[in-house]
């Protein structure tokens, strides 16, 4: 495949939360979208408006594909690599990429047999499927794979508004966990917050209205100021009385209490020197 700056035709396999956003992003960035592979016709007027072809299987894609992206579950990557080989590949040195975070390019190695190049190409972002291509602006793409594939993957990431980052193949699970803690597990903390606010009379909608500005300001402060400067609250103040009161209250909520103790100890380590540090540590480890 040519290493020029010409944008190769792309195809998206899987039209779920990630595939929908990527297809739109490719189209906006001027990449020819050769097709979308989906077992069922997606209920998405945008596909008809843009004239993008929906195909049931990889074998139905045209040969003129230079960048194939598998937006599928981790367990489906290797079988789909086999389907690429079975159809005889695509353009010479076409890149076959997957968007899994914790998986290296390894499961795509079979595509070399048909002249394709494997690539792990993970957008470090959370997707619900109803966002536009602007969701990818400024996000990191965790990349590893064949040297030529990485070169193209980095260029495509930049064209979509992203920032490529090389992840050592053996470190992919750790890289992915970095995202999971900041996203999925943060959602679990919001769930705990909602459960506690329910006890004081807030329903789900009202608790989200209450927590929304707090969550947004906290995230903004972390990004803007970094840690530990963005940390506020009783730990930052060394307020052992308030923390002891919290733990007394949480005796009726053992799961929340366990999370409170663990995460407070993490924050205490992050803060370094803090007023009443030894006293706080004793309270949190009782």
């Amino acid at each position: 495949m040519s290493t020029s700056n010409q944008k190769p035709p792309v195809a998206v396999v899987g039209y779920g939360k990630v595939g929908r956003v990527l297809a739109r992003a490719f189209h906006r960035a001027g990449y020819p979208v050769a097709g979308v592979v989906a077992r069922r016709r997606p209920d998405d007027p945008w596909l008809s408006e843009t004239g993008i072809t929906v195909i049931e299987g990889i074998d139905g894609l045209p040969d003129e594909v230079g960048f194939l992206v598998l937006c599928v579950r981790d367990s489906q990557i290797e079988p789909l690599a086999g389907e690429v080989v079975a159809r005889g590949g695509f353009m010479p040195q076409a890149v076959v990429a997957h968007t899994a975070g914790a998986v290296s390019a390894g499961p795509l190695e079979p595509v070399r047999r048909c002249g394709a190049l494997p690539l792990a190409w993970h957008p470090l972002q959370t997707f619900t499927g109803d966002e536009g291509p602007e969701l990818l602006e400024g996000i990191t793409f965790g990349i590893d794979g064949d040297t030529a594939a990485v070169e193209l993957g980095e260029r495509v990431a930049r064209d979509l508004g992203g920032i490529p980052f090389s992840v050592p193949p053996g470190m992919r699970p750790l890289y992915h966990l970095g995202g999971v803690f900041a996203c999925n597990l943060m959602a679990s903390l919001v769930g705990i917050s909602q459960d506690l606010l329910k006890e004081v009379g807030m329903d789900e909608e009202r608790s989200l209205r209450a927590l929304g500005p707090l969550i947004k300001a906290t995230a903004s402060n972390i990004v803007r100021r970094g840690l530990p400067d963005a940390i506020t609250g009783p730990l930052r103040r060394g307020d052992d009385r308030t923390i002891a009161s919290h733990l007394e209250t949480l005796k009726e909520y053992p799961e929340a209490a366990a999370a409170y103790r663990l995460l407070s100890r993490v924050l205490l380590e992050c803060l370094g020197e803090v007023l009443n540090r030894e006293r706080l540590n004793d309270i949190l480890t009782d």
Side-chain angles (χ1 to χ4, degrees):
M1 186 179 158
S2 172
T3 58
S4 72
N5 290 327
Q6 183 177 359
K7 294 175 179 177
V10 301
V12 176
V13 179
Y15 201 67
K17 296 176 180 179
V18 178
R20 289 170 67 93
V21 175
L22 282 178
R24 285 164 166 74
F26 286 131
H27 185 263
R28 186 181 73 163
Y31 281 82
V33 181
V36 166
V37 176
R39 291 182 179 177
R40 297 180 181 177
R41 174 79 190 186
D43 182 17
D44 186 355
W46 179 82
L47 290 169
S48 298
E49 293 167 6
T50 54
I52 292 174
T53 304
V54 179
I55 302 160
E56 289 188 2
I58 286 176
D59 57 345
L61 286 169
D63 291 338
E64 292 73 29
V65 171
F67 195 77
L68 179 74
V69 187
L70 309 180
C71 305
V72 298
R73 295 180 179 179
D74 297 10
S75 61
Q76 295 176 292
I77 295 171
E78 194 165 356
L80 287 174
E83 291 187 27
V84 171
V85 174
R87 83 171 301 285
F90 299 97
M91 297 172 62
Q93 290 195 304
V95 170
V96 178
H98 69 68
T99 58
V103 181
S104 73
L108 291 174
E109 280 294 316
V111 303
R112 293 186 185 277
R113 298 202 296 269
C114 63
L117 305 176
L119 179 72
W121 193 73
H122 172 252
L124 188 60
Q125 179 59 289
T126 181
F127 297 82
T128 62
D130 59 357
E131 305 94 347
E134 65 278 357
L135 184 69
L136 302 180
E137 293 173 3
I139 74 162
T140 290
F141 281 77
I143 297 175
D144 77 77
D146 181 275
T147 301
V150 166
E151 181 181 342
L152 178 59
E154 289 178 344
R155 177 156 60 87
V156 175
R158 292 190 185 98
D159 286 344
L160 301 190
I163 305 167
F165 182 83
S166 179
V167 180
M171 303 295 281
R172 297 288 301 195
L174 197 60
Y175 153 80
H176 193 233
L177 278 167
V180 167
F181 270 91
C183 178
N184 307 102
L185 298 185
M186 183 182 73
S188 71
L189 294 180
V190 173
I192 292 174
S193 295
Q194 287 187 282
D195 288 343
L196 297 176
L197 291 176
K198 183 178 180 180
E199 295 295 311
V200 301
M202 289 191 190
D203 61 21
E204 181 177 357
E205 181 182 354
R206 184 63 185 87
S207 65
L208 286 177
R209 283 170 54 200
L211 293 170
L214 178 62
I215 294 167
K216 291 177 182 178
T218 301
S220 176
N221 289 341
I222 292 171
V223 172
R224 183 170 55 89
R225 303 192 62 178
L227 298 175
D229 289 350
I231 298 173
T232 61
L235 269 177
R236 186 64 184 252
R237 299 191 301 268
D239 188 349
D240 56 323
R241 290 187 178 183
T242 295
I243 291 170
S245 172
H246 285 170
L247 290 170
E248 181 66 26
T249 301
L250 287 173
K251 284 182 177 179
E252 296 182 34
Y253 310 95
E255 291 185 355
Y260 185 97
R261 289 181 186 278
L262 174 61
L263 296 177
S264 294
R265 290 198 297 269
V266 172
L267 279 182
L268 197 58
E269 288 300 314
C270 186
L271 282 166
E273 293 302 319
V274 64
L275 185 66
N276 292 339
R277 180 182 178 84
E278 291 186 7
R279 168 68 175 156
L280 291 170
N281 191 62
D282 288 343
I283 294 173
L284 293 167
T285 54
D286 281 349

